[in-house]
Short mmCIF file of all heavy atoms in Angstrom, two decimals:
data_model
loop_
_atom_site.label_atom_id
_atom_site.label_comp_id
_atom_site.label_asym_id
_atom_site.label_seq_id
_atom_site.Cartn_x
_atom_site.Cartn_y
_atom_site.Cartn_z
N MET A 20 -31.72 -18.48 -44.79
CA MET A 20 -31.89 -18.12 -43.35
C MET A 20 -30.96 -16.88 -43.09
O MET A 20 -29.63 -17.15 -43.35
CB MET A 20 -31.66 -19.40 -42.52
CG MET A 20 -31.79 -19.10 -41.13
SD MET A 20 -31.82 -20.69 -40.22
CE MET A 20 -30.61 -20.41 -39.06
N THR A 21 -31.45 -15.89 -42.53
CA THR A 21 -30.57 -14.81 -42.14
C THR A 21 -30.61 -14.67 -40.66
O THR A 21 -31.59 -14.91 -39.96
CB THR A 21 -30.88 -13.49 -42.84
OG1 THR A 21 -32.22 -13.19 -42.50
CG2 THR A 21 -30.86 -13.70 -44.42
N THR A 22 -29.54 -14.08 -40.18
CA THR A 22 -29.41 -13.89 -38.67
C THR A 22 -29.42 -12.31 -38.43
O THR A 22 -28.75 -11.68 -39.18
CB THR A 22 -28.22 -14.41 -38.09
OG1 THR A 22 -27.08 -13.94 -38.66
CG2 THR A 22 -28.30 -16.00 -38.19
N ALA A 23 -30.04 -11.90 -37.52
CA ALA A 23 -30.05 -10.47 -37.16
C ALA A 23 -28.72 -10.19 -36.48
O ALA A 23 -28.24 -10.91 -35.68
CB ALA A 23 -31.21 -10.23 -36.13
N PRO A 24 -28.23 -9.05 -36.84
CA PRO A 24 -26.86 -8.58 -36.28
C PRO A 24 -27.04 -8.31 -34.73
O PRO A 24 -28.14 -7.94 -34.30
CB PRO A 24 -26.51 -7.32 -36.97
CG PRO A 24 -27.82 -6.83 -37.56
CD PRO A 24 -28.73 -7.95 -37.73
N VAL A 25 -26.06 -8.77 -33.95
CA VAL A 25 -26.04 -8.76 -32.58
C VAL A 25 -25.77 -7.18 -32.28
O VAL A 25 -24.77 -6.61 -32.69
CB VAL A 25 -25.10 -9.50 -31.90
CG1 VAL A 25 -25.13 -9.27 -30.29
CG2 VAL A 25 -25.29 -10.91 -32.16
N GLN A 26 -26.63 -6.53 -31.51
CA GLN A 26 -26.45 -5.14 -31.09
C GLN A 26 -25.70 -5.17 -29.71
O GLN A 26 -26.32 -5.66 -28.75
CB GLN A 26 -27.68 -4.30 -31.19
CG GLN A 26 -28.15 -4.18 -32.55
CD GLN A 26 -29.15 -3.06 -32.68
OE1 GLN A 26 -29.61 -2.51 -31.64
NE2 GLN A 26 -29.63 -2.67 -33.88
N GLU A 27 -24.62 -4.47 -29.60
CA GLU A 27 -23.96 -4.33 -28.37
C GLU A 27 -24.34 -2.87 -27.69
O GLU A 27 -24.58 -2.08 -28.43
CB GLU A 27 -22.43 -4.46 -28.54
CG GLU A 27 -22.00 -5.76 -29.02
CD GLU A 27 -20.54 -6.01 -29.13
OE1 GLU A 27 -19.75 -5.13 -28.47
OE2 GLU A 27 -20.00 -6.88 -29.80
N PRO A 28 -24.26 -2.85 -26.38
CA PRO A 28 -24.64 -1.64 -25.82
C PRO A 28 -23.57 -0.61 -26.09
O PRO A 28 -22.38 -0.89 -26.32
CB PRO A 28 -24.65 -1.99 -24.31
CG PRO A 28 -23.88 -3.25 -24.08
CD PRO A 28 -23.98 -3.99 -25.41
N PRO A 29 -23.82 0.68 -26.09
CA PRO A 29 -22.93 1.67 -26.44
C PRO A 29 -21.78 1.77 -25.42
O PRO A 29 -22.00 1.36 -24.21
CB PRO A 29 -23.70 2.89 -26.40
CG PRO A 29 -24.93 2.69 -25.72
CD PRO A 29 -25.20 1.26 -25.80
N LEU A 30 -20.59 2.13 -25.84
CA LEU A 30 -19.50 2.33 -25.02
C LEU A 30 -19.59 3.46 -23.90
O LEU A 30 -20.17 4.51 -24.35
CB LEU A 30 -18.10 2.48 -25.64
CG LEU A 30 -17.70 1.18 -26.43
CD1 LEU A 30 -16.49 1.65 -27.23
CD2 LEU A 30 -17.38 0.13 -25.54
N THR A 31 -19.43 3.16 -22.81
CA THR A 31 -19.34 4.29 -21.75
C THR A 31 -18.00 4.81 -21.52
O THR A 31 -16.95 4.24 -21.88
CB THR A 31 -19.97 3.80 -20.34
OG1 THR A 31 -19.04 2.73 -19.81
CG2 THR A 31 -21.38 3.10 -20.53
N ARG A 32 -17.87 5.98 -20.75
CA ARG A 32 -16.54 6.47 -20.50
C ARG A 32 -15.86 5.54 -19.56
O ARG A 32 -14.45 5.36 -19.81
CB ARG A 32 -16.72 7.83 -19.71
CG ARG A 32 -17.19 8.94 -20.53
CD ARG A 32 -17.13 10.25 -19.81
NE ARG A 32 -17.50 11.37 -20.57
CZ ARG A 32 -17.41 12.56 -20.23
NH1 ARG A 32 -16.91 12.89 -19.06
NH2 ARG A 32 -17.85 13.56 -21.12
N SER A 33 -16.51 4.86 -18.66
CA SER A 33 -15.80 3.82 -17.89
C SER A 33 -15.22 2.74 -18.71
O SER A 33 -14.00 2.28 -18.46
CB SER A 33 -16.72 3.29 -16.90
OG SER A 33 -16.15 2.23 -16.16
N ASP A 34 -15.87 2.36 -19.74
CA ASP A 34 -15.37 1.25 -20.74
C ASP A 34 -14.20 1.73 -21.44
O ASP A 34 -13.20 1.05 -21.60
CB ASP A 34 -16.55 0.86 -21.68
CG ASP A 34 -17.72 0.22 -21.09
OD1 ASP A 34 -17.52 -0.46 -20.08
OD2 ASP A 34 -18.81 0.23 -21.72
N LEU A 35 -14.35 2.93 -21.88
CA LEU A 35 -13.14 3.56 -22.55
C LEU A 35 -11.90 3.72 -21.77
O LEU A 35 -10.70 3.41 -22.19
CB LEU A 35 -13.50 4.90 -23.24
CG LEU A 35 -14.48 4.80 -24.44
CD1 LEU A 35 -14.91 6.23 -24.79
CD2 LEU A 35 -13.99 4.06 -25.56
N ARG A 36 -12.06 4.23 -20.57
CA ARG A 36 -11.04 4.29 -19.45
C ARG A 36 -10.41 3.06 -19.24
O ARG A 36 -9.17 2.77 -19.25
CB ARG A 36 -11.57 4.95 -18.27
CG ARG A 36 -10.44 5.33 -17.33
CD ARG A 36 -10.96 6.07 -16.00
NE ARG A 36 -11.67 7.35 -16.48
CZ ARG A 36 -13.09 7.56 -16.35
NH1 ARG A 36 -13.77 6.62 -15.73
NH2 ARG A 36 -13.64 8.70 -16.73
N ASP A 37 -11.18 1.95 -18.99
CA ASP A 37 -10.73 0.58 -18.72
C ASP A 37 -9.83 0.02 -19.98
O ASP A 37 -8.82 -0.52 -19.80
CB ASP A 37 -11.81 -0.38 -18.41
CG ASP A 37 -12.53 -0.14 -17.08
OD1 ASP A 37 -11.93 0.72 -16.28
OD2 ASP A 37 -13.60 -0.51 -16.95
N GLU A 38 -10.33 0.32 -21.15
CA GLU A 38 -9.65 -0.16 -22.28
C GLU A 38 -8.34 0.59 -22.51
O GLU A 38 -7.33 0.10 -22.88
CB GLU A 38 -10.53 0.18 -23.61
CG GLU A 38 -9.95 -0.30 -24.80
CD GLU A 38 -9.74 -1.77 -24.95
OE1 GLU A 38 -10.44 -2.57 -24.32
OE2 GLU A 38 -8.86 -2.30 -25.84
N LEU A 39 -8.25 1.84 -22.25
CA LEU A 39 -7.09 2.66 -22.26
C LEU A 39 -5.97 2.14 -21.23
O LEU A 39 -4.88 1.98 -21.61
CB LEU A 39 -7.33 4.17 -22.07
CG LEU A 39 -6.15 5.07 -22.04
CD1 LEU A 39 -5.43 5.01 -23.50
CD2 LEU A 39 -6.51 6.51 -21.77
N ASP A 40 -6.54 1.95 -20.04
CA ASP A 40 -5.69 1.40 -18.95
C ASP A 40 -5.02 0.07 -19.42
O ASP A 40 -3.89 -0.28 -19.23
CB ASP A 40 -6.47 1.19 -17.59
CG ASP A 40 -6.73 2.48 -17.05
OD1 ASP A 40 -6.09 3.60 -17.40
OD2 ASP A 40 -7.59 2.64 -16.13
N ARG A 41 -5.83 -0.79 -20.07
CA ARG A 41 -5.52 -2.10 -20.42
C ARG A 41 -4.41 -1.93 -21.58
O ARG A 41 -3.37 -2.63 -21.50
CB ARG A 41 -6.59 -2.98 -20.99
CG ARG A 41 -6.36 -4.46 -21.25
CD ARG A 41 -7.43 -5.21 -21.78
NE ARG A 41 -7.83 -4.60 -23.19
CZ ARG A 41 -7.13 -4.83 -24.30
NH1 ARG A 41 -6.07 -5.62 -24.21
NH2 ARG A 41 -7.54 -4.40 -25.37
N THR A 42 -4.71 -1.01 -22.53
CA THR A 42 -3.76 -0.91 -23.52
C THR A 42 -2.50 -0.30 -23.15
O THR A 42 -1.40 -0.64 -23.58
CB THR A 42 -4.33 0.12 -24.64
OG1 THR A 42 -5.67 -0.34 -25.04
CG2 THR A 42 -3.50 0.36 -25.86
N LEU A 43 -2.39 0.54 -22.25
CA LEU A 43 -1.18 1.32 -21.75
C LEU A 43 -0.19 0.32 -20.98
O LEU A 43 0.95 0.69 -20.81
CB LEU A 43 -1.51 2.58 -20.90
CG LEU A 43 -2.11 3.75 -21.74
CD1 LEU A 43 -2.36 4.83 -20.85
CD2 LEU A 43 -1.16 4.18 -22.82
N LYS A 44 -0.79 -0.72 -20.53
CA LYS A 44 0.10 -1.60 -19.78
C LYS A 44 1.05 -2.40 -20.64
O LYS A 44 1.95 -2.97 -20.16
CB LYS A 44 -0.86 -2.64 -18.94
CG LYS A 44 -1.65 -1.98 -17.83
CD LYS A 44 -2.40 -3.06 -17.15
CE LYS A 44 -3.24 -2.41 -15.98
NZ LYS A 44 -4.19 -3.29 -15.25
N HIS A 45 0.80 -2.23 -21.90
CA HIS A 45 1.71 -2.94 -22.95
C HIS A 45 2.87 -2.08 -23.27
O HIS A 45 3.76 -2.57 -23.98
CB HIS A 45 0.96 -3.39 -24.04
CG HIS A 45 -0.17 -4.39 -23.85
ND1 HIS A 45 0.08 -5.67 -23.46
CD2 HIS A 45 -1.50 -4.27 -23.72
CE1 HIS A 45 -0.97 -6.39 -23.12
NE2 HIS A 45 -2.04 -5.47 -23.29
N TYR A 46 2.89 -0.81 -22.86
CA TYR A 46 4.08 0.01 -23.34
C TYR A 46 5.05 0.23 -22.14
O TYR A 46 4.65 0.27 -20.96
CB TYR A 46 3.41 1.45 -23.78
CG TYR A 46 2.67 1.24 -25.01
CD1 TYR A 46 1.26 1.18 -25.04
CD2 TYR A 46 3.27 1.21 -26.30
CE1 TYR A 46 0.54 1.07 -26.09
CE2 TYR A 46 2.48 1.01 -27.49
CZ TYR A 46 1.05 1.07 -27.33
OH TYR A 46 0.42 0.78 -28.46
N ALA A 47 6.23 0.40 -22.57
CA ALA A 47 7.30 0.52 -21.65
C ALA A 47 7.45 2.16 -21.26
O ALA A 47 7.14 2.92 -22.15
CB ALA A 47 8.69 0.07 -22.19
N THR A 48 7.82 2.44 -20.01
CA THR A 48 7.99 3.75 -19.56
C THR A 48 9.45 4.10 -19.85
O THR A 48 10.32 3.27 -20.19
CB THR A 48 7.64 3.90 -18.10
OG1 THR A 48 8.52 3.11 -17.35
CG2 THR A 48 6.23 3.53 -17.87
N LYS A 49 9.82 5.38 -19.48
CA LYS A 49 11.28 5.72 -19.67
C LYS A 49 12.08 4.98 -18.71
O LYS A 49 13.17 4.56 -18.91
CB LYS A 49 11.36 7.34 -19.60
CG LYS A 49 10.83 8.10 -20.73
CD LYS A 49 10.93 9.47 -20.51
CE LYS A 49 10.52 10.26 -21.67
NZ LYS A 49 10.57 11.86 -21.44
N ALA A 50 11.52 4.88 -17.40
CA ALA A 50 12.24 4.13 -16.53
C ALA A 50 12.58 2.71 -16.93
O ALA A 50 13.54 2.14 -16.55
CB ALA A 50 11.52 4.17 -15.17
N ASP A 51 11.55 2.04 -17.60
CA ASP A 51 11.71 0.67 -17.95
C ASP A 51 12.82 0.60 -19.05
O ASP A 51 13.68 -0.24 -18.91
CB ASP A 51 10.36 0.19 -18.71
CG ASP A 51 9.30 0.04 -17.63
OD1 ASP A 51 9.59 -0.30 -16.48
OD2 ASP A 51 8.11 0.00 -18.06
N VAL A 52 12.84 1.64 -19.91
CA VAL A 52 14.06 1.54 -20.96
C VAL A 52 15.29 1.76 -20.39
O VAL A 52 16.31 1.21 -20.56
CB VAL A 52 13.47 2.68 -22.01
CG1 VAL A 52 14.68 2.80 -23.02
CG2 VAL A 52 12.34 2.22 -22.73
N ALA A 53 15.29 2.87 -19.38
CA ALA A 53 16.65 2.96 -18.74
C ALA A 53 17.04 1.76 -17.92
O ALA A 53 18.34 1.42 -17.94
CB ALA A 53 16.51 4.20 -17.65
N ASN A 54 16.19 1.06 -17.20
CA ASN A 54 16.50 -0.11 -16.60
C ASN A 54 17.11 -1.25 -17.56
O ASN A 54 17.93 -1.99 -17.36
CB ASN A 54 15.41 -0.70 -15.69
CG ASN A 54 15.18 0.15 -14.47
OD1 ASN A 54 16.03 0.92 -14.06
ND2 ASN A 54 13.92 0.02 -14.03
N LEU A 55 16.42 -1.30 -18.70
CA LEU A 55 16.80 -2.32 -19.71
C LEU A 55 18.17 -1.96 -20.21
O LEU A 55 18.96 -2.84 -20.50
CB LEU A 55 15.76 -2.26 -20.70
CG LEU A 55 15.98 -3.30 -21.94
CD1 LEU A 55 15.88 -4.73 -21.35
CD2 LEU A 55 14.93 -3.11 -23.03
N LYS A 56 18.58 -0.62 -20.30
CA LYS A 56 19.73 -0.30 -20.94
C LYS A 56 20.92 -0.65 -19.93
O LYS A 56 21.93 -1.27 -20.32
CB LYS A 56 19.85 1.19 -21.17
CG LYS A 56 19.14 1.69 -22.47
CD LYS A 56 19.16 3.26 -22.55
CE LYS A 56 18.47 3.70 -23.78
NZ LYS A 56 18.62 5.15 -23.91
N VAL A 57 20.64 -0.44 -18.69
CA VAL A 57 21.58 -0.83 -17.66
C VAL A 57 21.82 -2.40 -17.67
O VAL A 57 22.96 -2.95 -17.58
CB VAL A 57 21.13 -0.40 -16.25
CG1 VAL A 57 21.99 -0.94 -15.07
CG2 VAL A 57 21.16 1.22 -16.08
N TRP A 58 20.69 -3.07 -17.79
CA TRP A 58 20.82 -4.51 -17.79
C TRP A 58 21.64 -5.13 -19.07
O TRP A 58 22.49 -5.93 -18.84
CB TRP A 58 19.42 -5.10 -17.69
CG TRP A 58 19.36 -6.64 -17.67
CD1 TRP A 58 19.34 -7.33 -16.46
CD2 TRP A 58 19.38 -7.56 -18.71
NE1 TRP A 58 19.30 -8.67 -16.63
CE2 TRP A 58 19.19 -8.79 -18.11
CE3 TRP A 58 19.12 -7.54 -19.95
CZ2 TRP A 58 19.26 -9.99 -18.73
CZ3 TRP A 58 19.14 -8.77 -20.75
CH2 TRP A 58 19.25 -10.02 -20.14
N ILE A 59 21.41 -4.53 -20.18
CA ILE A 59 22.02 -4.84 -21.41
C ILE A 59 23.55 -4.56 -21.29
O ILE A 59 24.37 -5.32 -21.74
CB ILE A 59 21.32 -4.09 -22.64
CG1 ILE A 59 20.01 -4.80 -22.90
CG2 ILE A 59 22.23 -4.21 -23.85
CD1 ILE A 59 19.28 -4.05 -23.99
N VAL A 60 23.93 -3.44 -20.77
CA VAL A 60 25.38 -2.90 -20.52
C VAL A 60 25.92 -3.96 -19.77
O VAL A 60 27.11 -4.51 -19.93
CB VAL A 60 25.43 -1.48 -20.10
CG1 VAL A 60 26.96 -1.27 -19.65
CG2 VAL A 60 25.07 -0.65 -21.24
N GLY A 61 25.26 -4.38 -18.60
CA GLY A 61 25.88 -5.39 -17.64
C GLY A 61 26.07 -6.68 -18.31
O GLY A 61 27.09 -7.32 -18.17
N LEU A 62 25.08 -7.16 -19.13
CA LEU A 62 25.27 -8.33 -19.67
C LEU A 62 26.22 -8.34 -20.79
O LEU A 62 27.06 -9.29 -20.96
CB LEU A 62 23.84 -8.70 -20.42
CG LEU A 62 23.82 -10.05 -21.19
CD1 LEU A 62 23.93 -11.15 -20.15
CD2 LEU A 62 22.48 -10.20 -21.86
N LEU A 63 26.42 -7.27 -21.54
CA LEU A 63 27.48 -7.03 -22.56
C LEU A 63 28.82 -7.21 -21.84
O LEU A 63 29.76 -7.74 -22.40
CB LEU A 63 27.35 -5.80 -23.31
CG LEU A 63 28.19 -5.59 -24.43
CD1 LEU A 63 28.19 -6.57 -25.42
CD2 LEU A 63 28.01 -4.17 -25.10
N LEU A 64 28.89 -6.57 -20.74
CA LEU A 64 30.23 -6.60 -19.94
C LEU A 64 30.65 -8.04 -19.60
O LEU A 64 31.76 -8.35 -19.79
CB LEU A 64 30.07 -5.68 -18.81
CG LEU A 64 31.42 -5.64 -17.89
CD1 LEU A 64 32.55 -5.04 -18.70
CD2 LEU A 64 31.20 -4.69 -16.60
N VAL A 65 29.62 -8.76 -19.16
CA VAL A 65 29.79 -10.14 -18.63
C VAL A 65 30.26 -10.93 -19.87
O VAL A 65 31.19 -11.88 -19.80
CB VAL A 65 28.45 -10.73 -17.97
CG1 VAL A 65 28.64 -12.22 -17.96
CG2 VAL A 65 28.44 -10.14 -16.63
N VAL A 66 29.66 -10.76 -20.99
CA VAL A 66 30.03 -11.56 -22.23
C VAL A 66 31.35 -11.26 -22.72
O VAL A 66 32.16 -12.17 -23.03
CB VAL A 66 28.85 -11.26 -23.39
CG1 VAL A 66 29.42 -11.90 -24.65
CG2 VAL A 66 27.52 -11.98 -22.93
N VAL A 67 31.74 -9.93 -22.71
CA VAL A 67 33.05 -9.51 -23.18
C VAL A 67 34.08 -10.06 -22.21
O VAL A 67 35.16 -10.64 -22.74
CB VAL A 67 33.17 -8.01 -23.26
CG1 VAL A 67 34.56 -7.53 -23.47
CG2 VAL A 67 32.28 -7.53 -24.47
N LEU A 68 33.98 -9.97 -21.01
CA LEU A 68 34.88 -10.49 -20.01
C LEU A 68 34.96 -12.08 -20.13
O LEU A 68 36.01 -12.66 -20.06
CB LEU A 68 34.46 -10.22 -18.56
CG LEU A 68 34.61 -8.71 -18.23
CD1 LEU A 68 34.20 -8.54 -16.79
CD2 LEU A 68 36.11 -8.34 -18.40
N ASN A 69 33.88 -12.78 -20.51
CA ASN A 69 33.88 -14.15 -20.61
C ASN A 69 34.70 -14.60 -21.86
O ASN A 69 35.51 -15.47 -21.84
CB ASN A 69 32.56 -14.76 -20.80
CG ASN A 69 32.37 -16.18 -20.63
OD1 ASN A 69 33.41 -16.82 -20.64
ND2 ASN A 69 31.18 -16.79 -20.59
N VAL A 70 34.56 -13.83 -22.95
CA VAL A 70 35.21 -14.07 -24.14
C VAL A 70 36.69 -13.76 -24.02
O VAL A 70 37.49 -14.64 -24.41
CB VAL A 70 34.68 -13.26 -25.28
CG1 VAL A 70 35.61 -13.19 -26.59
CG2 VAL A 70 33.31 -13.70 -25.74
N VAL A 71 36.99 -12.73 -23.37
CA VAL A 71 38.50 -12.40 -23.10
C VAL A 71 39.07 -13.41 -22.18
O VAL A 71 40.22 -13.85 -22.41
CB VAL A 71 38.66 -10.89 -22.52
CG1 VAL A 71 40.02 -10.74 -22.01
CG2 VAL A 71 38.31 -9.99 -23.49
N GLY A 72 38.38 -13.88 -21.25
CA GLY A 72 39.03 -14.90 -20.31
C GLY A 72 39.18 -16.29 -21.03
O GLY A 72 40.20 -16.91 -20.77
N THR A 73 38.23 -16.56 -21.81
CA THR A 73 38.37 -17.85 -22.57
C THR A 73 39.46 -17.79 -23.57
O THR A 73 40.24 -18.69 -23.70
CB THR A 73 37.05 -18.14 -23.29
OG1 THR A 73 35.94 -18.27 -22.41
CG2 THR A 73 36.97 -19.49 -24.06
N ALA A 74 39.62 -16.68 -24.35
CA ALA A 74 40.70 -16.53 -25.29
C ALA A 74 42.08 -16.41 -24.55
O ALA A 74 43.02 -17.19 -25.01
CB ALA A 74 40.53 -15.30 -26.10
N GLY A 75 42.10 -15.87 -23.33
CA GLY A 75 43.36 -15.85 -22.55
C GLY A 75 43.68 -17.27 -22.06
O GLY A 75 44.85 -17.71 -22.10
N ALA A 76 42.70 -18.06 -21.65
CA ALA A 76 43.00 -19.49 -21.31
C ALA A 76 43.41 -20.28 -22.46
O ALA A 76 44.32 -21.10 -22.26
CB ALA A 76 41.71 -19.95 -20.63
N ILE A 77 42.74 -20.16 -23.61
CA ILE A 77 43.30 -20.79 -24.88
C ILE A 77 44.67 -20.42 -25.15
O ILE A 77 45.48 -21.38 -25.43
CB ILE A 77 42.40 -20.47 -26.05
CG1 ILE A 77 40.98 -21.33 -25.64
CG2 ILE A 77 42.96 -21.14 -27.27
CD1 ILE A 77 39.88 -20.86 -26.71
N VAL A 78 45.00 -19.21 -25.22
CA VAL A 78 46.50 -18.66 -25.51
C VAL A 78 47.41 -19.26 -24.39
O VAL A 78 48.54 -19.79 -24.75
CB VAL A 78 46.44 -17.13 -25.60
CG1 VAL A 78 47.86 -16.75 -25.62
CG2 VAL A 78 45.64 -16.66 -26.72
N ALA A 79 47.08 -19.26 -23.11
CA ALA A 79 47.99 -19.72 -22.09
C ALA A 79 48.15 -21.20 -22.35
O ALA A 79 49.26 -21.69 -22.20
CB ALA A 79 47.32 -19.45 -20.81
N ALA A 80 47.18 -21.96 -22.68
CA ALA A 80 47.28 -23.48 -22.83
C ALA A 80 48.13 -23.72 -24.05
O ALA A 80 48.94 -24.59 -24.08
CB ALA A 80 45.96 -24.05 -23.00
N PHE A 81 47.92 -22.79 -25.16
CA PHE A 81 48.66 -22.99 -26.34
C PHE A 81 50.18 -22.74 -26.05
O PHE A 81 51.14 -23.48 -26.50
CB PHE A 81 48.19 -22.14 -27.45
CG PHE A 81 48.92 -22.32 -28.74
CD1 PHE A 81 48.80 -23.37 -29.59
CD2 PHE A 81 49.77 -21.21 -29.09
CE1 PHE A 81 49.47 -23.36 -30.65
CE2 PHE A 81 50.42 -21.31 -30.42
CZ PHE A 81 50.30 -22.46 -31.19
N LEU A 82 50.54 -21.72 -25.30
CA LEU A 82 51.79 -21.32 -25.09
C LEU A 82 52.62 -22.30 -24.03
O LEU A 82 53.78 -22.44 -24.15
CB LEU A 82 51.95 -19.80 -24.42
CG LEU A 82 51.64 -18.76 -25.54
CD1 LEU A 82 51.63 -17.55 -24.72
CD2 LEU A 82 52.48 -18.82 -26.57
N ALA A 83 51.71 -22.88 -23.22
CA ALA A 83 52.39 -23.83 -22.21
C ALA A 83 52.56 -25.14 -22.83
O ALA A 83 53.49 -25.95 -22.35
CB ALA A 83 51.37 -23.97 -20.94
N GLY A 84 51.93 -25.44 -23.91
CA GLY A 84 51.98 -26.78 -24.51
C GLY A 84 53.13 -26.98 -25.52
O GLY A 84 54.00 -27.55 -25.65
#
């Protein structure tokens, strides 16, 4: 028993345009990357300050004890 292949209608310009719009939504723009860089720098600053503060508190506790 064989099955006949399903024939789909040909793609139209509208179909291609919709597919391109859908595909491009998955890519970041230059503005997205710039915002991400700012966010990463801010997060890195918070992490560094947290580590320095924690190390300072440990050293202070060690010296006081």
Side-chain angles (χ1 to χ4, degrees):
M20 183 167 128
T21 60
T22 59
V25 177
Q26 290 199 354
E27 296 185 17
L30 290 174
T31 63
R32 285 186 182 192
S33 177
D34 293 334
L35 292 174
R36 191 175 300 111
D37 291 343
E38 181 66 20
L39 180 61
D40 288 343
R41 186 186 66 76
T42 303
L43 289 178
K44 289 180 182 175
H45 296 287
Y46 293 96
T48 63
K49 288 181 181 181
D51 293 333
V52 174
N54 289 338
L55 183 61
K56 285 181 183 179
V57 169
W58 190 85
I59 289 174
V60 168
L62 182 62
L63 183 61
L64 181 61
V65 168
V66 169
V67 168
L68 290 175
N69 194 353
V70 169
V71 169
T73 303
I77 292 172
V78 170
F81 180 73
L82 292 178

